[in-house]
Amino acid sequence: MPGKLKAKIVAGRHLPVMDRASDLTDAFVEVKFGNTTFKTDVYPKSLNPQWNSEWFKFEVDDEDLQDEPLQITVLDHDTYSANDAIGKVYIDIDPLLCSEAATVISGWLPIYDTIHGIRGEINVLVKVDLFNDLNRFRQSSCGVKFFCTTSIPRCYRAIMVHGFVEELVVNEDPEYQWIDRIRTPRASNEARQRLIFLMSGELQRKIGLKVLEMGGNAVVGYLQCFDLEGESGLVVRAIGTACTLEKISSTLPATATHPSNSSPSKDMKDSPQAAPSTLGCRSTHSSPVHSASSRLSQGFSVSVPTLLFAGMGSGGSAGKEGGPLKALLRQQTQSALEQREYPFFTLAAFPPGFLLHVGGVVSARSVKLLDRIHNPDEPETRDAWWEEIRQEIKSHAKALGCHAVVGYSESTSICEEVCILSASGTAAILSSRFMQDGPLDTEHRFEEVVSPGCGFCHIPYDELNIPFPAQLTYCYCCRRYKVPDVLFTTIDLPTEANVTGKGCLIQARLCRTKKKAQGEGNATVISNLLPFLEYELHTQLMNKLKLRGMNALFGLRIQISVGETMLLGLASATGVYLTALPSPGGIQIAGKTPSDITYEQHISNMQKKINDTIAKNKELYEINPPEVVEEIIGSPIPEPRQRSRLFRSQSESSDEVSELDLSHGKKDAFVLEIDDTDAVEDIHALLTDSPTPAGFYSCNTEIMPGIQNWTSAIQMFTSVRVFRLNANLTNQGLNKIFSDLCENLLKSLYFKLRSMVPCCLCHLNFTVAIPEDELIQVAVTAVAMSFDKEQLLENGKQSGEKTLIKAITENDEQLQFNLELNAETSAPNPLSSPKGLSEVGSHLSARASSVDYSSFADRCSSWIEQLKLKAHTIRRGSVKTTSSMEKASPLPEGRSRSLRSNRSYSGSSVAVVKMTPLSFIPGAKIIKYLGIINMFFIRETTSLREEGGVSGFLHTFIAEVFAMVRAHVAALGGNAVVSYSMKECVFMENPNKNQAQCLINVSGDAVMFVRESELESTSVQTQSATTHTSNGAEGT
Amino acid sequence: MSVELDVFVGNTTIMDKEVYQLWLNGYTVNDAVKVRIEGGVMEECEASAEVLLSDTMDQYRTFQMCERLLHHPAKLANQLLFQIPPDRQAMLIERYYAFDDSFVREVLGKKLSKGTKKDLDDVSTKTGITLKSCRRQFDNFKRVFKVVEELKGPLVENIRQHFLLPDQLARDYAAIVFFANNRFETGKKKLHYLTFQDFAFCAGQLINNWTLGAVDNIMEDMDVDLDKEFLQELKDLKILITDKDLLDQHKSLVCTALRGKTNVFNEMEANFKNLSRGLVNIAAKLINAKDVRDFFIDLVEKFIEPCRSDKWTSIDVNLYLTHYTNSVHILDTFKHHAVWTRYMGVIKSCILRMYHD
């Protein structure tokens, strides 16, 4: 009996009137956990009952504690007939099972009914007494922390990153059981809500077990999804990254439990599985409640040849058979399959020094047929499907010369019986320092590690053996290594990256009609369409990127949604200009039929428009690449042409000219041939994207390069639109409608948020769906954050300095990691560093290194030896600290220092809970993670008109979901949700019957934060105190 | 092709003050969009009419969802559905309960019944205020009335606490409730020149001086009804006009005091008995509920109009009323000094407030 759950029902308020005669309610409460139920007394004739119950105690296994929610039902007592349910509250106990999270759940929680929505609130107290269970065969995984955040959580430090964990559980969907015909919609909805609660609890527990097996204590980047497969079942699946985290405490000296050089160094390039052997676990299938219920099967399966986006060559016209399609075929088949583990990471941002090189985006899609065949012996189909896809991803990564995939995610789109499974990520090479190999990965690293501002851009693959056509140049920062001309990734922009100007949201939108078909035929049609869809999305992205004068995409997310008569593709990413990469060429239009003069004119008009747009965009996004190139010309760097046979004909110097001159006729310009109406449309589409209004910026990543001085004003929002199409639209018509839909939605957002200007819409997350024929649904969740305009200009430098200074004070904590890097780092050419930072950076870092070294030297002789060893092998063996730059990664406090003057909000009677899809809150410091929030709600109505139509219905529901999230966070003792996301919003309507139903799944991390301004005085003191103590402690 | 569904929900509920006012004023969505376009918000923010329509619809929906809470403003502060900063909450409430003076003049003193509500379309046509807005204002009056009717303690304070209204607005509501409860006649043609604020001022005087709560500080008493005992005692003042000696004595005292101090002395002297009779008769009749209703019309007919036709200035009126009130205390046979003071204090300030064109 390893756990005792205690619950106390205190009071209710704002209850609905259940007795029309008296306008009052006789309420009582049932508290249920597992199969045990307790009841409170009836509190007669009140809408604000005070039960003040005893403590209800449940003695349960911790396994149950993890799986089951505490279920609280409020009822109206009725002497003569059955008691009427007022509503329910499900409480996830999980946060209480972890010592570092919440200790008690206490507060007002909304009472929710799937038909009536929120009906008053109930005040409860919940506690858990856990007894230690040392049973090694236990099935529970209490204590493993879960984070939705896709980076190392703010108040933790990663000791070790173990790797990929995944799991899925399957069950029959209660909505499709026979009993659903005779029970009420309410009963059916509640059965579904409860089942999903149970399944996600079980899923989390199983993932936790795997993490424990791997020796970790936390899952970061936890992503849980539902597949509502209809007749064939309900799948809940999750992926995440197992880590060993250590809380950064302000009192204890920082101790890094480095695994001492146990395993020998490996060449990561040659063995992609250099990552620990425990990396990844096989998924064990199970269906928790009804084991016989899963009749999922695979009648049909097509794996679509996937694209591989990396630095795709931009030269020449974009022929249909172009590079990417055949790109991976070459290297794909080799070794991959015998490996069962996946070197995948759901993280999108990394501890400093973890991410070494980025290859490009790898993605895989597969079309499957959900077939209901009655063969319970084949329950592992889903696992097999995903395994297939992951293998594919792995081999793609390998083709790019990478041993790992970061920013990894999986998704599905289901229409009737067809299901598209998708996975994507970014091929990368990671430092082994957070893996079990330990830090002593020597020689190989030496050439690899360069200045962090550009290092990740350097190609990981062999330039003589590029898997796809690409133009390589020498890095514009360090001039030492090769970089591609464009870089696409799914991760966040690394904080240390050198970026010129600002970024912006770039979307490619595509709609393709398809014939109605059934079964295999349908699946075939879809899988035939997919490659074209992806190709066109890619072309669009590339065009739009160039139109903005940028050369890299971050946070790329491609969503393909399938309907009965069409396919939708939406690719969103944040475009930036990476200083390390060459300036993108312009876009040139070429006509095929040169005879006509008016036609020529037309073309030149368009060309002019495009050139104007590019120039305007460069100005808008402040893209003025530093002209360091000239200074370097005399440097002893070999001419690229001699080295690379794959190089295109133009030389670097022509690139430089292009920076100044946007004229057409440039050799490397991206040529669009207008040979058919399609292309004309494409160009029009290119130019119809309206620029963001003045004062607004937008991105779909965590942070926006070039903006750092955020104020504390943030506004998270969700917006949903459903658009009804006319029948018989052409592809082009559809495209335009879809594109307009997205554009208009953005415009509306800008208008709504105009009071926050200057502001940036961060983490703009679009999801598209085709809820039924002729309907397109677009949902957006994002956060608008205001920033200070005055400091905008000087900000870059200032914050840079601040972070550097900060880094020095905090350097000690990090030193164990840094030192090896320091030693390895060959000094980057100072001239090639970005302007503002270079001097400051080198100056400060020099100081830092000397300080650090001296305080450190006598502490750890082994490191010294290591250093010496390295010193011999380093070509230009100066010990130089670049760590100060790297340290800038997790929300540099220096950044928000300028915000001290922020007014603090006066409290109201309901605690304010902030919500944000980002992993941080500007101007504040997260001091505690209270646990994961993962909630699933169903709302249904049979009086749609009375509730204000579909918009009124959904508006209320979303507001209710927000309210419930906030209330649960507040009950855990938190004041914010970070990494919030709405993962599912399934809306179905039947206006003729006056009915509608909606399912929403949201998740995030409940946290407690303190304003930097409140913290400021104390923190500075403790901060310095900490460094001192840690110095002292470790020095002895 | 149409937008089937369009919602925007912020973690902090976004509310545009301008749109809120349009909603309160009862504009339809389309009219509101027109007004906004004319207001130039489009140029300011590079928006299109489509965007404006979407935003307006969305805001209207939000306001409708909030309306239920605004009926019980205290709930707004501890509800969980909308996260609204406190200053915004105060703004929402204040504006929701704000009313048009021209509207309130139409219903002031009327019974807040279904019948009156049915006549609101006439009011709407007459005042040019949309029917929707009229209904909201009327319902607000009725809601406040219903809540405070049964409550004990000071009226203004009750209103302020239950509806979280700012002080001035709470006072206005107190006046409205007070007028509705006592059914004062305010609609007669002769009273048309009076503004709501005139009446509200008078109501304040009456509440503060003539109700039970005014004399006793006992919280159990209600401010809504006039002090019956006091009204009864007012009958005793009749002696001032029925006793010929007293009347003459009173007149000579006032005349002595005013001689040479006013340009209308002769008119005053000639009219003294009439005016005095008028005021004392009003006092004596107040015990009848029907005559309470005619209180203001009586003041105008019996005092204000005669003075006005004799071209008294308000300084004259003030002077006259001061001496008229004070000299009674010198009359040796008169015993009801307290009642007289309590009565005349209110009468004097009411008349002074009402004495304008």
Side-chain angles (χ1 to χ4, degrees), chain A residues 77-345:
Chain A
H77 176 74
D78 201 325
T79 324
Y80 304 108
S81 59
N83 298 327
D84 293 324
I86 294 173
K88 281 192 158 71
V89 182
Y90 293 100
I91 299 177
D92 185 6
I93 305 301
D94 218 51
L96 298 180
L97 303 181
C98 178
S99 55
E100 280 168 45
T103 51
V104 63
I105 295 173
S106 161
W108 291 101
L109 300 174
I111 302 166
Y112 181 74
D113 178 71
T114 59
I115 306 292
H116 293 104
I118 290 179
R119 304 175 96 189
E121 291 119 38
I122 187 166
N123 196 327
V124 294
L125 266 170
V126 183
K127 284 182 181 175
V128 171
D129 291 336
L130 264 191
F131 315 128
N132 259 342
D133 183 12
L134 299 172
N135 178 2
R136 77 169 52 222
F137 301 107
R138 63 183 186 162
Q139 286 300 298
S140 80
S141 53
C142 290
V144 174
K145 297 178 279 287
F146 284 79
F147 302 92
C148 294
T149 303
T150 54
S151 53
I152 300 302
R154 301 277 152 164
C155 49
Y156 288 93
R157 172 181 29 233
I159 304 275
M160 197 114 67
V161 180
H162 300 278
F164 189 61
V165 279
E166 48 81 31
E167 183 68 82
L168 66 80
V169 292
V170 180
N171 208 318
E172 203 169 357
D173 192 338
E175 184 110 324
Y176 294 88
Q177 284 165 334
W178 66 268
I179 195 168
D180 202 54
R181 289 160 202 241
I182 53 167
R183 66 181 168 191
T184 62
R186 175 181 283 123
S188 169
N189 291 339
E190 280 173 4
R192 242 174 148 189
Q193 281 190 166
R194 192 179 140 71
L195 177 69
I196 288 184
F197 247 112
L198 277 172
M199 288 169 78
S200 22
E202 184 195 345
L203 196 68
Q204 222 169 303
R205 172 173 58 82
K206 289 189 166 163
I207 292 236
L209 277 174
K210 291 185 175 179
V211 172
L212 291 177
E213 235 170 75
M214 293 161 86
N217 64 2
V219 182
V220 180
Y222 185 66
L223 176 72
Q224 187 195 286
C225 294
F226 300 94
D227 298 332
L228 301 167
E229 295 184 348
E231 296 275 309
S232 49
L234 184 63
V235 178
V236 185
R237 57 193 163 77
I239 54 175
T241 306
C243 294
T244 304
L245 299 183
E246 184 188 60
K247 183 137 189 175
I248 301 172
S249 94
S250 46
T251 47
L252 289 171
T255 49
T257 53
H258 241 302
S260 53
N261 29 1
S262 50
S263 66
S265 63
K266 283 180 185 171
D267 189 338
M268 296 293 258
K269 233 177 199 171
D270 289 349
S271 66
Q273 261 56 55
S277 52
T278 47
L279 209 157
C281 274
R282 281 297 306 125
S283 155
T284 54
H285 172 89
S286 70
S287 50
V289 188
H290 315 285
S291 59
S293 68
S294 32
R295 292 183 291 266
L296 308 162
S297 163
Q298 173 186 10
F300 176 90
S301 157
V302 180
S303 210
V304 176
T306 30
L307 295 179
L308 194 111
F309 304 142
M312 181 183 153
S314 58
S317 70
K320 289 275 187 206
E321 88 295 350
L325 280 173
K326 54 182 177 187
L328 50 101
L329 296 174
R330 204 154 18 98
Q331 298 196 357
Q332 167 173 347
T333 41
Q334 52 192 41
S335 75
L337 283 166
E338 72 260 315
Q339 297 286 355
R340 304 193 81 198
E341 299 134 345
Y342 308 107
F344 296 171
F345 300 86

Side-chain angles (χ1 to χ4, degrees), chain B residues 67-282:
Chain B
E67 190 166 19
R68 163 181 78 77
L69 296 163
L70 286 165
H71 292 168
H72 311 278
K75 272 193 189 168
L76 197 63
N78 60 15
Q79 52 85 32
L80 302 178
L81 192 55
F82 299 104
Q83 189 158 273
I84 307 171
D87 58 322
R88 280 272 132 155
Q89 290 182 15
M91 184 278 288
L92 287 178
I93 295 167
E94 185 175 346
R95 293 215 183 173
Y96 190 80
Y97 281 90
F99 50 81
D100 293 301
D101 279 1
S102 59
F103 172 80
V104 72
R105 269 305 269 111
E106 295 297 321
V107 296
L108 194 63
K110 284 189 185 152
K111 200 174 172 193
L112 299 174
S113 64
K114 285 212 174 96
T116 316
K117 196 172 176 183
K118 269 184 198 149
D119 297 337
L120 286 182
D121 37 0
D122 293 340
V123 176
S124 165
T125 339
K126 194 174 165 193
T127 55
I129 297 164
T130 60
L131 184 59
K132 223 178 146 207
S133 178
C134 290
R135 292 217 171 110
R136 171 182 58 85
Q137 299 183 35
F138 182 82
D139 289 341
N140 282 344
F141 296 164
K142 198 169 169 181
R143 191 175 318 110
V144 174
F145 183 86
K146 276 203 154 179
V147 168
V148 296
E149 193 183 28
E150 304 298 321
L151 286 175
K152 289 164 179 165
L155 185 57
V156 177
E157 198 48 38
N158 280 340
I159 293 173
R160 197 166 33 205
Q161 276 183 7
H162 273 81
F163 292 92
L164 308 174
L165 298 179
D167 193 56
Q168 186 52 48
L169 198 53
R171 281 176 198 287
D172 288 350
Y173 267 93
I176 292 163
V177 168
F178 188 71
F179 268 67
N181 188 53
N182 292 291
R183 311 273 304 280
F184 288 108
E185 176 61 65
T186 65
K188 284 274 161 55
K189 206 169 179 195
K190 282 177 178 164
L191 296 178
H192 277 180
Y193 79 99
L194 293 170
T195 65
F196 168 72
Q197 283 307 328
D198 293 336
F199 284 118
F201 174 83
C202 299
Q205 292 294 315
L206 267 65
I207 294 168
N208 288 335
N209 297 293
W210 287 4
T211 58
L212 206 55
V215 273
D216 301 312
N217 252 345
I218 313 160
M219 292 298 275
E220 290 151 32
D221 299 317
M222 289 190 240
D223 273 353
V224 197
D225 298 309
L226 294 174
D227 181 356
K228 281 269 154 37
E229 218 171 296
F230 166 66
L231 297 181
Q232 196 67 41
E233 287 168 358
L234 281 177
K235 284 210 280 193
D236 300 337
L237 299 181
K238 259 205 146 169
I239 194 161
L240 283 173
I241 48 170
T242 49
D243 186 322
K244 188 136 190 339
D245 284 351
L246 267 183
L247 186 57
D248 288 337
Q249 220 179 326
H250 192 187
K251 182 181 172 181
S252 68
L253 279 171
V254 174
C255 287
T256 317
L258 285 181
R259 193 180 306 271
K261 287 186 183 161
T262 165
N263 294 330
V264 291
F265 179 75
N266 293 331
E267 291 87 340
M268 185 273 292
E269 192 175 24
N271 250 340
F272 179 85
K273 285 190 182 172
N274 265 342
L275 292 176
S276 187
R277 267 194 207 108
L279 290 181
V280 175
N281 276 329
I282 292 174

Side-chain angles (χ1 to χ4, degrees), chain A residues 13-14 108 110 121 693-694 715-726 737 744 747-749 751-754 908-910 912-915 950-952 954-956 958-960 962-963 966 987 989, chain B residues 1-14 16 18-19 36 41-42 44-48 50-52 54-56 58-59 61-62 65 75-86 89:
Chain A
R13 70 179 183 194
H14 306 153
W108 291 101
E121 291 119 38
Q715 168 70 284
M716 191 282 297
F717 58 87
T718 291
S719 184
V720 182
R721 276 192 190 182
V722 175
F723 202 80
R724 184 171 290 281
L725 304 166
N726 282 351
I737 288 170
N744 288 339
K747 278 185 203 158
S748 275
L749 298 181
F751 182 73
K752 282 262 183 214
L753 300 160
R754 63 192 185 282
S908 71
S909 53
V910 175
V912 172
V913 175
K914 299 225 172 203
M915 291 168 79
V950 283
S951 295
L954 192 63
H955 194 144
T956 315
I958 294 176
E960 284 172 341
F962 284 7
R966 285 193 302 256
F987 179 74
E989 55 165 331
Chain B
M1 261 168 292
S2 56
V3 174
E4 181 113 345
L5 179 159
D6 179 9
V7 297
F8 176 99
V9 190
N11 183 36
T12 304
T13 309
I14 293 185
D16 185 313
E18 188 206 352
V19 185
R36 295 184 80 185
V41 73
M42 249 161 59
E44 231 172 85
C45 312
E46 309 170 33
S48 66
E50 212 176 316
V51 166
L52 220 53
S54 149
D55 177 61
T56 312
D58 207 70
Q59 302 252 4
R61 207 164 37 234
T62 311
M65 287 161 73
K75 272 193 189 168
L76 197 63
N78 60 15
Q79 52 85 32
L80 302 178
L81 192 55
F82 299 104
Q83 189 158 273
I84 307 171
Q89 290 182 15

Side-chain angles (χ1 to χ4, degrees), chain A residues 777-789:
Chain A
Q777 176 189 319
V778 181
V780 187
T781 298
V783 63
M785 305 209 290
S786 289
F787 56 91
D788 269 332
K789 189 140 207 175

Side-chain angles (χ1 to χ4, degrees), chain A residues 45 48 100 244 291 355 385 434 582 593 612 629 642 741 743 783 791 824 841 916 929 985 1023:
Chain A
K45 306 220 177 305
N48 300 292
E100 280 168 45
T244 304
S291 59
L355 183 70
W385 290 355
F434 288 100
T593 42
D612 288 351
V629 201
Q642 305 157 355
L741 179 57
E743 280 291 312
V783 63
Q791 299 178 349
E824 290 158 4
T916 174
Y929 281 79
C985 177
Q1023 202 59 263

